[in-house]
Amino acid sequence: MLKKLIIPIFEGINPELLFKWIDAGHLPNFKRLYSDGYLNVIKGCHIPYEPSGLVTAFSGLSDYNHGILAYFKVHNSDYMPKLWNSNELKDKFFWNKSEFDKFRFCIINVFGTDPAYKINGYMISYAMRKSLHYSYPPSLLYDLSKENIFCIQDTTIMYSPTISKHAFFENVLRVEELRHKTFQNLFDHDLDIYIVNYTLIERVSHFCYSELSEKGDLSEKILFQAYKHCDNYLQDILKKVESGKANMLLFSEIGFDSHDTFVSVNDYLASQGLLKYDLNSGTIDYKNSIAFESVQGSNGININRKSVYSQGIVSDKEYLEIVNYVINALKQMPNPYNNNPMFRDIVPGQQIYKGEQIPDIILEPYDWKYLFFGDVYWGNFIHRNCQTGWHRRESVVGLAGDNISNIRKSESHQLTDILPTIYQMLKVNPNNSFISKGLYNE
């Protein structure tokens, strides 16, 4: 009989911190995974961000091929960020493939599942909008509530500089605890594959990372406490593995590290006559702007094309010429906080990515401690200038359960290894070939 497969995602793990705290004895369950199972570094997407990473992991496609970079679409005719809809992403995820028709799923808090839709099993979506209807079956949350089990969305708790960081942490932790209890309850149901996205580490890393460099007892640091709580969640999961009921594939699609400040590329574009601000509102005057920053997570610049935007001024005929002109202007941009360049590389978006929702120009940071502010609307909403940590490309992957001795332990792992590993663990033959190998030797 095939064992259940648990796939916990611990977003935002910094491998250096994790292994440092494992060695110091602070994370006994991650240490157990490292010594008795498998735990190693995994490399994420070119632009490390949750949407691109999770689509890569669960589609088997590289970010260059699937072209999903951010929570929001990159090009919106009215310039307002619009969320990806699950109906636009269903075909990317393996649980909707014919090979998995007979498997029953429990999917909790994964990007690309909102609005929730019919699957063989249960789904609690990752909703970035206010809603009381984010599960399948629609009655799932109500049925769970009758057992005193509640699962609420991350977006019910947003950081604000008007509250303390400890209060923010406690609120985010409460959401994570409810999520873990939901998984614990549903594990006893007749299901085969559990995917649970834990966001505690990632969410507090954004606003509390700088605490690690401040004086004080490590045990009082918010980020350290977040790792400790996730170590406890892992303990519960490993108990299920050790009971013989399940195997486990753990990963994080993004890493994390410290961050100094965000830089407004829009301000530089304005200084070069490529963007104009409305003098009264301070917002972008699009009808007089050639280029502007794209949405957070896409690390790019959009050209204000007539064929795309309601107030576009650049014709398709002059588009390529304008792209090259803007790239040459950006190459001269200095980091306003030091004497370094702002960018390591600047290339046309379609040169490296496929898809319609790609910035016209992709920016590669010279120094990852100085990143680009991105679209002003969302950046201001989440208080981006209060953040002291940001995503990095490297995080971790781990395995526990059967066949541990047959893992490709010495090789460098990629996010594109995740899906072929799932096929290996469930003994499913793929209908199509993968661009990467699974973590197990064939």
Side-chain angles (χ1 to χ4, degrees):
M1 182 177 177
L2 197 65
K3 293 181 179 180
K4 295 185 177 191
L5 176 59
I6 307 172
I7 307 175
I9 307 158
F10 289 102
E11 287 189 341
I13 287 179
N14 176 313
E16 184 179 347
L17 284 182
L18 182 73
F19 288 112
K20 175 182 176 181
W21 290 339
I22 285 174
D23 290 342
H26 297 310
L27 304 173
N29 299 294
F30 277 102
K31 183 174 183 178
R32 194 149 52 96
L33 178 61
Y34 179 70
S35 59
D36 299 340
Y38 183 64
L39 187 63
N40 207 340
V41 174
I42 191 170
K43 186 175 181 180
C45 295
H46 180 75
I47 302 172
Y49 208 47
E50 297 98 315
S52 58
L54 291 175
V55 174
T56 292
F58 293 135
S59 72
L61 300 170
S62 73
D63 49 327
Y64 304 113
N65 285 315
H66 64 64
I68 311 297
L69 303 186
Y71 289 109
F72 301 97
K73 295 180 180 179
V74 169
H75 299 290
N76 303 288
S77 62
D78 62 357
Y79 306 95
M80 290 297 292
K82 290 181 177 59
L83 293 165
W84 283 100
N85 186 291
S86 61
N87 293 317
E88 300 166 309
L89 302 173
K90 281 182 185 178
D91 65 324
K92 300 286 192 297
F93 296 122
F94 78 95
W95 51 82
N96 297 314
K97 303 296 184 185
S98 60
E99 300 102 292
F100 290 90
D101 284 347
K102 295 181 180 179
F103 289 89
R104 287 177 53 78
F105 285 85
C106 174
I107 301 171
I108 301 175
N109 201 45
V110 175
F111 164 78
T113 58
D114 185 63
Y117 53 86
K118 183 178 180 179
I119 62 168
N120 187 11
Y122 301 141
M123 176 183 287
I124 300 176
S125 73
Y126 185 96
M128 287 189 65
R129 59 192 176 89
K130 292 181 178 179
S131 173
L132 295 175
H133 307 285
Y134 50 89
S135 71
Y136 180 83
S139 63
L140 177 60
L141 296 175
Y142 174 71
D143 293 340
L144 288 170
S145 71
K146 290 190 291 185
E147 300 179 55
N148 203 31
I149 300 294
F150 302 91
C151 190
I152 61 177
Q153 294 294 327
D154 280 346
T155 48
T156 61
I157 306 298
M158 302 297 289
Y159 177 79
S160 171
T162 62
I163 65 171
S164 72
K165 291 180 180 179
H166 280 279
F168 172 67
F169 169 60
E170 291 298 329
N171 288 333
V172 174
L173 176 60
R174 179 170 56 88
V175 173
E176 194 85 308
E177 291 281 336
L178 292 172
R179 182 176 300 132
H180 184 61
K181 288 178 181 178
T182 301
F183 157 68
Q184 294 270 68
N185 176 279
L186 294 176
F187 185 79
D188 294 328
H189 291 226
D190 183 22
L191 302 168
D192 304 303
I193 303 168
Y194 294 79
I195 304 173
V196 189
N197 187 20
Y198 294 94
T199 60
L200 177 64
I201 291 174
E202 194 273 344
R203 296 201 69 195
V204 300
S205 290
H206 276 300
F207 298 100
C208 305
Y209 211 97
S210 62
E211 282 191 350
L212 295 180
S213 60
E214 299 171 0
K215 293 181 179 179
D217 192 324
L218 179 62
S219 65
E220 296 178 356
K221 308 290 186 181
I222 290 174
L223 186 55
F224 177 75
Q225 293 176 41
Y227 275 75
K228 290 286 288 181
H229 282 285
C230 288
D231 190 71
N232 291 335
Y233 304 147
L234 179 59
Q235 180 182 37
D236 292 335
I237 295 169
L238 290 178
K239 284 179 181 178
K240 301 180 192 311
V241 173
E242 290 159 356
S243 72
K245 296 179 180 179
N247 291 311
M248 184 195 74
L249 167 59
L250 171 155
F251 72 95
S252 171
E253 81 279 19
I254 49 171
F256 235 92
D257 208 341
S258 61
H259 172 72
D260 283 354
T261 192
F262 289 101
V263 176
S264 173
V265 182
N266 279 344
D267 285 353
Y268 181 78
L269 291 171
S271 74
Q272 301 302 301
L274 295 168
L275 179 149
K276 186 175 181 181
Y277 289 113
D278 184 287
L279 295 179
N280 294 319
S281 65
T283 59
I284 298 173
D285 176 8
Y286 287 105
K287 64 181 180 296
N288 289 300
S289 297
I290 291 173
F292 52 91
E293 287 191 72
S294 58
V295 294
Q296 176 181 315
S298 60
N299 282 19
I301 301 295
N302 288 336
I303 302 301
N304 196 19
R305 287 175 284 168
K306 294 178 181 178
S307 59
V308 176
Y309 297 102
S310 60
Q311 299 180 56
I313 62 174
V314 177
S315 70
D316 289 342
K317 184 177 180 180
E318 60 187 340
Y319 169 71
L320 292 178
E321 179 183 350
I322 293 296
V323 166
N324 289 327
Y325 182 86
V326 175
I327 287 175
N328 288 329
L330 289 170
K331 286 180 178 178
Q332 309 306 313
M333 180 180 175
N335 184 325
Y337 295 94
N338 54 40
N339 294 321
N340 292 329
M342 192 63 216
F343 311 110
R344 188 170 299 278
D345 199 11
I346 310 172
V347 296
Q350 294 294 336
Q351 184 174 305
I352 57 175
Y353 287 103
K354 294 179 180 178
E356 297 180 356
Q357 294 297 326
I358 303 302
D360 298 301
I361 297 169
I362 294 291
L363 308 173
E364 174 76 13
Y366 181 86
D367 185 342
W368 282 78
K369 292 182 181 294
Y370 297 90
L371 297 175
F372 329 120
F373 191 84
D375 176 80
V376 175
Y377 176 84
W378 181 248
N380 287 337
F381 178 76
I382 62 169
H383 301 286
R384 204 169 188 204
N385 279 330
C386 295
Q387 294 176 348
T388 62
W390 192 252
H391 307 158
R392 295 295 189 273
R393 287 174 181 154
E394 288 192 341
S395 195
V396 296
V397 62
L399 291 161
D402 299 335
N403 212 18
I404 293 299
S405 61
N406 198 32
I407 296 173
R408 299 187 290 111
K409 295 183 179 181
S410 62
E411 297 192 29
S412 174
H413 302 305
Q414 313 285 329
L415 269 183
T416 48
D417 297 347
I418 295 297
L419 186 56
T421 304
I422 292 171
Y423 276 75
Q424 287 178 327
M425 297 179 81
L426 295 170
K427 298 179 172 56
V428 174
N429 294 318
N431 289 338
N432 299 295
S433 59
F434 296 113
I435 63 173
S436 292
K437 297 185 292 184
L439 270 68
Y440 293 93
N441 292 308
E442 295 294 341

